[in-house]
Amino acid sequence: MHIHYISEQNSILNHFLAQIRDVNIQKDSMRFRKNIERIGEIMAYELSKTLEYKSIDVQTPLGIKHTTTIAEPVVLCSILRAGLALHQGFMSFFDNAENGFVSAYRHHYNNDDQFEILVEYQAAPSFEGKNLILIDPMLATGQSLVAVLNKLHLEQKPKEIHIAVVIATPEGIAYLEKNVPSTCHLWVAALDEKLNEHNYIVPGLGDAGDLAYGIKL
């Protein structure tokens, strides 16, 4: 798996990352969503540099300009509901992309820290031969992303698979390395220290879905 850590060099990205973590700022859900969206835009730009391009001629009012454009279509697919704001950021840059949505959540069957990942809803276009960008803000254990990718990847073969996360843990990355194709690209805005005993990211930022859209039952 090819891993890209995009916050290693200081940029405005780190400013937005600091704000989504800050307990005094993140309480403003509109600002939290906007900051996640901005992070998505930055990640989309960095990811776009690795795609394949083709030459085209563009007719301007005064002549012909020789330039390039993305060679293969892009499909953006986010994990509901936490992925929606990040998805919006990617969609701002990949504005011609097709879009897919999948639900995945932790089911605590014994009401303790043990859980299984349930994937119950999918609405996605064909991604045969296309660039699939799978979007989820938090890479904790990695089980949700693997479960979703397995569901999407059963019959259709994308040209490339890119996984985009805002915050990741070493444990989650190790799990992906064992369970996704070695040709996958993982894009990480920030790498955190660890998972705690409840499998939540430390220091993390809390529950991204709740912060963006309100507390769930």
Side-chain angles (χ1 to χ4, degrees):
M1 184 171 66
H2 309 284
I3 307 176
H4 310 266
Y5 298 105
I6 63 174
S7 64
E8 291 181 332
Q9 182 178 0
N10 281 327
S11 73
I12 194 67
L13 172 64
N14 289 338
H15 175 75
F16 298 139
L17 287 168
Q19 290 195 350
I20 64 172
R21 294 182 190 272
D22 191 317
V23 294
N24 296 310
I25 297 175
Q26 64 175 204
K27 295 174 184 177
D28 183 340
S29 60
M30 183 171 66
R31 188 172 180 182
F32 181 86
R33 290 193 303 272
K34 187 61 180 179
N35 281 332
I36 291 287
E37 182 180 336
R38 288 164 168 163
I39 291 168
E41 291 174 346
I42 294 169
M43 296 184 75
Y45 173 71
E46 294 296 330
L47 189 156
S48 74
K49 298 176 183 179
T50 68
L51 300 179
E52 186 176 336
Y53 287 76
K54 62 183 179 182
S55 298
I56 61 169
D57 293 334
V58 175
Q59 177 70 59
T60 80
L62 300 177
I64 300 294
K65 173 61 180 177
H66 306 290
T67 185
T68 60
T69 190
I70 295 173
E72 287 87 17
V74 171
V75 177
L76 305 175
C77 187
S78 65
I79 299 178
L80 299 173
R81 66 181 166 152
L84 290 175
L86 190 62
H87 186 114
Q88 184 65 43
F90 272 83
M91 196 162 56
S92 294
F93 275 35
F94 295 110
D95 54 343
N96 291 323
E98 298 174 280
N99 296 272
F101 303 91
V102 182
S103 72
Y105 66 95
R106 296 181 180 185
H107 173 58
H108 296 268
Y109 44 86
N110 290 324
N111 294 318
D112 56 19
D113 292 333
Q114 300 300 313
F115 63 88
E116 61 179 338
I117 301 298
L118 297 184
V119 181
E120 296 184 339
Y121 172 82
Q122 174 184 339
S126 168
F127 45 82
E128 185 73 36
K130 302 173 184 177
N131 295 293
L132 173 63
I133 303 177
L134 185 57
I135 298 165
D136 195 18
M138 311 296 280
L139 172 56
T141 67
Q143 294 180 45
S144 294
L145 280 165
V146 169
V148 168
L149 190 57
N150 287 340
K151 184 174 180 63
L152 293 174
H153 201 227
L154 289 177
E155 298 179 356
Q156 302 176 67
K157 304 299 180 186
K159 179 182 184 291
E160 284 190 339
I161 299 172
H162 296 265
I163 299 171
V165 302
V166 175
I167 297 176
T169 64
E171 297 94 330
I173 292 174
Y175 187 81
L176 289 189
E177 288 181 314
K178 294 179 180 178
N179 292 281
V180 304
S182 60
T183 55
C184 277
H185 290 261
L186 173 64
W187 296 84
V188 179
L191 177 64
D192 275 14
E193 296 173 12
K194 62 181 180 178
L195 290 174
N196 65 15
E197 64 275 14
H198 303 296
N199 288 312
Y200 291 112
I201 299 175
V202 177
L205 54 76
D207 189 296
D210 287 357
L211 289 167
Y213 302 109
I215 296 174
K216 57 187 175 294
L217 294 176

